[in-house]
Coordinates of all heavy atoms in Angstrom, one line a residue:
R1 N 49.7 81.8 34.8 CA 49.7 80.6 34.0 C 50.2 79.3 34.8 O 50.3 78.3 34.2 CB 50.5 80.8 32.7 CG 50.1 81.9 31.9 CD 48.7 81.8 31.4 NE 48.2 83.0 30.8 CZ 47.0 83.6 31.1 NH1 46.2 83.0 32.0 NH2 46.7 84.7 30.6
Y2 N 50.4 79.4 36.1 CA 50.9 78.3 36.8 C 50.5 78.3 38.2 O 50.2 79.4 38.8 CB 52.5 78.3 36.7 CG 53.1 79.6 37.2 CD1 53.4 79.8 38.5 CD2 53.5 80.5 36.3 CE1 54.0 81.0 38.9 CE2 54.1 81.7 36.6 CZ 54.3 82.0 38.0 OH 54.9 83.1 38.4
P3 N 50.3 77.1 38.8 CA 49.9 77.1 40.3 C 51.1 77.6 41.2 O 52.2 77.7 40.7 CB 49.7 75.6 40.5 CG 49.6 75.0 39.1 CD 50.4 75.8 38.2
D4 N 50.7 77.9 42.4 CA 51.7 78.4 43.3 C 52.9 77.5 43.5 O 54.0 78.0 43.7 CB 51.1 78.7 44.7 CG 50.0 79.8 44.7 OD1 50.1 80.6 43.7 OD2 49.2 79.8 45.6
E5 N 52.7 76.2 43.5 CA 53.9 75.3 43.7 C 54.9 75.4 42.6 O 56.0 74.8 42.8 CB 53.4 73.9 43.9 CG 52.6 73.3 42.7 CD 51.1 73.4 42.9 OE1 50.7 74.4 43.4 OE2 50.4 72.5 42.4
F6 N 54.6 76.1 41.5 CA 55.6 76.2 40.4 C 56.3 77.6 40.5 O 57.0 78.0 39.5 CB 55.0 76.0 39.1 CG 54.7 74.5 38.8 CD1 53.5 73.9 39.2 CD2 55.6 73.7 38.2 CE1 53.3 72.6 39.0 CE2 55.4 72.4 37.9 CZ 54.2 71.8 38.4
N7 N 56.1 78.3 41.6 CA 56.8 79.6 41.7 C 58.2 79.4 42.2 O 58.6 80.0 43.2 CB 56.0 80.5 42.7 CG 56.5 81.9 42.7 OD1 57.2 82.4 41.8 ND2 56.1 82.7 43.8
K8 N 59.0 78.7 41.4 CA 60.3 78.3 41.8 C 61.3 79.5 41.7 O 62.2 79.7 42.5 CB 60.9 77.2 40.9 CG 62.3 76.8 41.1 CD 62.8 75.8 40.2 CE 64.3 75.5 40.4 NZ 64.8 74.4 39.4
F9 N 61.1 80.3 40.7 CA 62.0 81.5 40.5 C 61.5 82.7 41.2 O 62.0 83.8 40.9 CB 62.1 81.7 39.0 CG 62.7 80.5 38.3 CD1 61.9 79.7 37.5 CD2 64.1 80.3 38.3 CE1 62.4 78.6 36.9 CE2 64.6 79.2 37.7 CZ 63.8 78.3 37.0
K10 N 60.6 82.5 42.2 CA 60.2 83.6 43.1 C 59.8 84.9 42.4 O 60.3 85.9 42.6 CB 61.3 83.9 44.1 CG 61.8 82.7 44.9 CD 60.6 82.0 45.6 CE 61.1 80.7 46.3 NZ 59.9 80.0 46.8
S11 N 58.7 84.7 41.7 CA 58.1 85.9 41.1 C 57.4 86.8 42.2 O 56.9 86.3 43.2 CB 57.0 85.5 40.1 OG 56.1 86.5 39.8
V12 N 57.5 88.1 42.0 CA 56.9 89.0 43.0 C 55.7 89.7 42.3 O 55.4 90.8 42.6 CB 57.9 90.0 43.5 CG1 58.9 89.4 44.4 CG2 58.6 90.8 42.3
A13 N 55.0 89.0 41.4 CA 53.8 89.6 40.7 C 52.8 90.0 41.8 O 52.5 89.3 42.7 CB 53.2 88.6 39.8
G14 N 52.3 91.2 41.5 CA 51.2 91.7 42.4 C 51.8 92.7 43.5 O 51.1 93.5 44.0
A15 N 53.1 92.6 43.7 CA 53.7 93.5 44.7 C 54.0 94.8 44.0 O 54.1 94.9 42.8 CB 55.0 92.9 45.2
K16 N 54.2 95.8 44.8 CA 54.6 97.1 44.3 C 56.0 97.2 43.9 O 56.9 97.1 44.8 CB 54.2 98.3 45.3 CG 54.4 99.7 44.7 CD 53.9 100.7 45.7 CE 54.1 102.1 45.1 NZ 53.6 103.2 46.0
I17 N 56.3 97.3 42.7 CA 57.7 97.2 42.2 C 58.2 98.6 41.8 O 57.5 99.3 41.0 CB 57.9 96.3 41.0 CG1 57.4 94.9 41.4 CG2 59.3 96.2 40.5 CD1 57.2 93.9 40.3
V18 N 59.2 99.1 42.4 CA 59.7 100.4 42.2 C 60.9 100.5 41.3 O 60.9 101.2 40.3 CB 60.0 101.1 43.5 CG1 60.5 102.6 43.3 CG2 58.8 101.1 44.5
E19 N 61.9 99.7 41.6 CA 63.1 99.7 40.8 C 62.9 99.0 39.4 O 62.2 98.0 39.3 CB 64.2 99.0 41.6 CG 64.5 99.6 42.9 CD 65.1 101.0 42.8 OE1 65.8 101.3 41.7 OE2 64.9 101.9 43.7
K20 N 63.6 99.6 38.4 CA 63.6 99.0 37.1 C 64.0 97.6 37.1 O 63.4 96.7 36.5 CB 64.5 99.9 36.2 CG 64.8 99.3 34.8 CD 65.6 100.2 34.0 CE 66.2 99.5 32.8 NZ 67.2 98.5 33.0
N21 N 65.1 97.2 37.8 CA 65.7 95.9 37.7 C 64.7 94.9 38.4 O 64.6 93.7 38.1 CB 67.1 95.8 38.3 CG 67.1 96.2 39.8 OD1 66.2 96.9 40.2 ND2 68.0 95.7 40.5
Q22 N 64.0 95.4 39.4 CA 63.0 94.6 40.1 C 61.9 94.2 39.1 O 61.4 93.0 39.1 CB 62.4 95.3 41.3 CG 63.3 95.4 42.5 CD 62.5 96.0 43.7 OE1 62.1 97.1 43.5 NE2 62.5 95.4 44.8
K23 N 61.4 95.1 38.3 CA 60.4 94.9 37.4 C 60.8 93.9 36.3 O 60.1 92.9 36.0 CB 59.9 96.2 36.7 CG 58.7 96.0 35.8 CD 58.2 97.4 35.3 CE 56.9 97.3 34.5 NZ 56.4 98.6 34.1
E24 N 62.0 94.0 35.8 CA 62.6 93.1 34.8 C 62.6 91.7 35.4 O 62.3 90.7 34.8 CB 64.0 93.6 34.4 CG 64.0 94.8 33.5 CD 65.4 95.2 33.2 OE1 66.4 94.6 33.8 OE2 65.6 96.2 32.4
E25 N 63.1 91.6 36.6 CA 63.3 90.3 37.3 C 61.9 89.6 37.5 O 61.8 88.4 37.4 CB 64.1 90.4 38.6 CG 64.4 89.1 39.2 CD 65.3 89.3 40.5 OE1 65.5 90.4 40.9 OE2 65.7 88.2 41.0
A26 N 61.0 90.4 37.9 CA 59.6 89.9 38.2 C 59.0 89.3 36.9 O 58.5 88.2 37.0 CB 58.7 91.0 38.7
V27 N 59.1 90.0 35.8 CA 58.6 89.5 34.6 C 59.3 88.2 34.1 O 58.7 87.2 33.7 CB 58.6 90.6 33.5 CG1 58.1 90.0 32.1 CG2 57.7 91.8 33.9
S28 N 60.7 88.3 34.2 CA 61.5 87.2 33.7 C 61.2 85.9 34.6 O 61.1 84.8 34.1 CB 63.0 87.6 33.8 OG 63.8 86.5 33.4
N29 N 61.1 86.1 35.9 CA 60.9 85.0 36.8 C 59.5 84.4 36.6 O 59.4 83.1 36.6 CB 61.0 85.4 38.3 CG 62.5 85.6 38.7 OD1 63.4 85.2 38.0 ND2 62.7 86.2 39.8
S30 N 58.5 85.2 36.4 CA 57.2 84.7 36.1 C 57.2 83.9 34.8 O 56.6 82.8 34.7 CB 56.2 85.8 36.0 OG 56.0 86.5 37.2
Y31 N 57.9 84.4 33.8 CA 58.0 83.7 32.5 C 58.7 82.3 32.7 O 58.2 81.3 32.2 CB 58.7 84.5 31.5 CG 58.7 83.9 30.1 CD1 57.6 84.0 29.3 CD2 59.7 83.0 29.6 CE1 57.5 83.5 28.0 CE2 59.6 82.4 28.4 CZ 58.5 82.6 27.6 OH 58.5 82.0 26.4
N32 N 59.8 82.3 33.4 CA 60.5 81.0 33.7 C 59.6 80.0 34.4 O 59.6 78.8 34.1 CB 61.8 81.3 34.4 CG 62.9 81.8 33.5 OD1 63.0 81.4 32.4 ND2 63.6 82.8 34.0
N33 N 58.8 80.5 35.3 CA 57.9 79.6 36.1 C 56.8 79.0 35.1 O 56.5 77.9 35.3 CB 57.2 80.4 37.2 CG 58.1 80.7 38.3 OD1 59.1 80.0 38.6 ND2 57.8 81.8 39.0
S34 N 56.4 79.8 34.2 CA 55.4 79.3 33.2 C 56.0 78.3 32.3 O 55.3 77.3 32.0 CB 54.8 80.5 32.4 OG 55.7 81.0 31.5
I35 N 57.2 78.4 32.0 CA 57.9 77.4 31.2 C 58.1 76.1 32.0 O 57.9 75.0 31.5 CB 59.3 77.9 30.6 CG1 59.0 79.1 29.7 CG2 60.0 76.8 30.0 CD1 58.4 78.7 28.4
L36 N 58.4 76.3 33.3 CA 58.6 75.2 34.2 C 57.3 74.4 34.3 O 57.3 73.1 34.3 CB 59.0 75.7 35.6 CG 59.3 74.7 36.6 CD1 60.6 73.9 36.3 CD2 59.4 75.3 38.0

């Protein structure tokens, strides 16, 4: 939902996420970027 220049909170969408906390952070950061 946002261009690359709005990836301020460093989403790792598309990467292979193994750890539970990594997955949570990826979703949360992507959401914050969309609000930004």
Side-chain angles (χ1 to χ4, degrees):
R1 303 300 167 230
Y2 52 87
D4 291 341
E5 59 266 33
F6 286 86
N7 190 18
K8 175 182 176 181
F9 298 102
K10 302 305 175 189
S11 165
V12 289
K16 187 175 181 180
I17 303 168
V18 179
E19 298 294 331
K20 168 180 169 289
N21 63 334
Q22 284 183 305
K23 187 171 186 179
E24 289 178 353
E25 187 176 5
V27 176
S28 181
N29 285 345
S30 293
Y31 187 82
N32 282 320
N33 288 333
S34 72
I35 296 293
L36 184 69

